[in-house]
Amino acid sequence: MAVAVASQMVPPDFLQTNATLVTQKADLPGIVEDILRLQPQTTNIVVVLGTSALEKFWVEECRREFQPFTNRVKFTWLNDLSSDQILQRCATLPPRSFVFHAFFIVDADGIHYEHDEVLRRLHEVANAPVFGYFASELGLGPIGGRLFRDTELGTQGARTAIRILRGEQAGRIPVQTMEAPRPIYDWRELRRWGIDESRLPPGSVIQYRQPTLWGLYRWHIVGAVLFCLLQTALIIGLVTNALARKRADQVLRESEERMTLAAEAAQFGVWVWSIARNRVWGSERWRSLFGFVPGQDVSFEEVIQRIHPDDRETVEREVRRALA
């Protein structure tokens, strides 16, 4: 059984030997198409691959598959350089460049590298966007694209291997070719290189999108705004009420002043009975007429007693009728 191998590498007679295959066709032209869609002004694509036998195979495959695009962009091949030389070149690329990193196992000096090691260093120094190949590398620097679903292929291959270990004949298990993946992109890299999301292929998936302040604290903001609005409304209400009371007090004072002036002009007194407290307020003229000293607490009964006996009953009756 062969698993996680691009279909281009499978010999024509492989399936005639009681074997099965779990694979995905590598869409190399699609890589260039995606790069040019993201950056239509791209004039130089730098291809980063090593010198192992596997990498040499893919260098030739890329040269062949990229041939139709050579009238539009220039391809720069760095597979004959050491890793340090590759990093130096990628740090000083000319404008309108793009870097395509497939994988890197062995450099021109014969030095072997751990998985993703060169990719991480490339992402740190490159002055142009990096386009990757494997879906498992998204988040380590590549901007994204139609990535090879290596993790899913490995999972599906493991399931197929279990079937074989349980007794199924490999030749009777149908070949499983995974469908072309949906384009997937790293939001952080799009932002870093100023690539608008409108340029992405339809149906693209964007990962690592950083939520906005509104997205993170939406309900906190809404609560704070509502609290501020409520507090503002309360303050407005209090101010409005205070102004209304102030105007009412002013009107009352003006009314009392007019009443006092009128009473003084007519030489008669004015009195007001607070029923709840049974206290009587009277103008100075009234107090003088009734014989009450200034500041003295006066009750209604005391007022009645100061009225002439011939008028007392009439006054008291009229006051009670007015209350009723």
Side-chain angles (χ1 to χ4, degrees):
M1 180 189 73
V3 60
V5 177
S7 59
Q8 290 93 322
M9 300 186 65
V10 181
D13 58 348
F14 175 77
L15 297 176
Q16 298 177 8
T17 58
N18 189 31
T20 189
L21 177 66
V22 180
T23 187
Q24 174 189 323
K25 180 176 175 58
D27 186 4
L28 297 179
I31 292 172
V32 180
E33 291 171 1
D34 287 346
I35 289 175
L36 296 178
R37 185 184 185 104
L38 295 182
Q39 292 283 34
Q41 299 82 14
T42 300
T43 58
N44 181 42
I45 296 179
V46 178
V47 182
V48 176
L49 280 162
T51 58
S52 66
L54 178 61
E55 290 167 296
K56 289 179 180 179
F57 170 84
W58 283 111
V59 167
E60 294 306 315
E61 282 293 304
C62 288
R63 288 182 183 273
R64 183 174 58 83
E65 295 281 2
F66 293 169
Q67 187 63 34
F69 299 95
T70 53
N71 62 340
R72 183 172 176 182
V73 294
K74 173 187 175 183
F75 291 93
T76 302
W77 307 87
L78 304 182
N79 51 293
D80 58 345
L81 301 178
S82 68
S83 64
D84 289 339
Q85 291 172 326
I86 290 173
L87 295 174
Q88 290 173 6
R89 288 283 298 275
C90 291
T92 57
L93 295 175
R96 297 188 294 277
S97 293
F98 227 107
V99 178
F100 169 51
H101 171 277
F103 50 92
F104 201 91
I105 303 173
V106 182
D107 70 0
D109 289 341
I111 300 176
H112 290 252
Y113 291 89
E114 295 292 333
H115 180 63
D116 299 334
E117 180 181 351
V118 173
L119 172 61
R120 293 176 185 272
R121 294 171 60 191
L122 183 64
H123 177 250
E124 292 175 359
V125 303
N127 65 340
V130 178
F131 207 93
Y133 180 70
F134 292 107
S136 61
E137 296 176 341
L138 190 72
L140 303 179
I143 201 167
R146 287 176 269 190
L147 303 177
F148 192 85
R149 300 158 63 182
D150 52 328
T151 301
E152 296 176 50
L153 279 170
T155 302
Q156 189 60 36
R159 294 188 181 127
T160 304
I162 291 173
R163 294 173 60 182
I164 295 173
L165 291 173
R166 287 176 176 173
E168 284 192 62
Q169 292 187 7
R172 293 186 177 182
I173 299 177
V175 173
Q176 302 168 69
T177 302
M178 300 192 70
E179 298 179 358
R182 296 175 64 184
I184 183 170
Y185 293 91
D186 188 327
W187 180 85
R188 299 166 301 181
E189 296 301 313
L190 295 174
R191 288 286 301 271
R192 177 186 179 189
W193 300 106
I195 299 174
D196 194 275
E197 293 181 21
S198 62
R199 297 184 186 176
L200 303 184
S204 295
V205 177
I206 300 178
Q207 291 191 357
Y208 305 107
R209 187 188 297 275
Q210 297 178 1
T212 61
L213 183 64
W214 169 254
L216 283 173
Y217 303 105
R218 178 185 311 169
W219 297 114
H220 298 79
I221 295 173
V222 170
V225 170
L226 289 177
F227 177 76
C228 291
L229 290 176
L230 180 62
Q231 204 170 39
T232 301
L234 180 62
I235 292 173
I236 292 174
L238 291 174
V239 171
T240 302
N241 186 53
L243 291 174
R245 291 182 59 184
K246 184 176 180 180
R247 285 195 295 269
D249 291 343
Q250 183 177 355
V251 170
L252 179 60
R253 284 195 302 271
E254 293 175 352
S255 176
E256 290 177 350
E257 290 173 358
R258 287 194 296 269
M259 185 179 294
T260 300
L261 291 173
E264 291 178 354
Q267 294 296 306
F268 63 79
V270 178
W271 63 282
V272 178
W273 178 26
S274 175
I275 302 171
R277 296 171 57 243
N278 191 22
R279 287 291 180 269
V280 176
W281 169 89
S283 64
E284 293 183 8
R285 178 63 178 166
W286 179 85
R287 285 178 176 273
S288 174
L289 292 173
F290 277 73
F292 295 115
V293 299
Q296 177 185 351
D297 288 337
V298 180
S299 66
F300 178 70
E301 288 75 19
E302 291 175 315
V303 174
I304 292 297
Q305 293 302 318
R306 299 293 177 96
I307 297 175
H308 192 278
D310 294 344
D311 300 324
R312 186 177 300 156
E313 182 179 352
T314 301
V315 172
E316 187 171 10
R317 183 178 63 250
E318 291 299 318
V319 169
R320 300 294 180 187
R321 188 175 67 82
L323 292 176

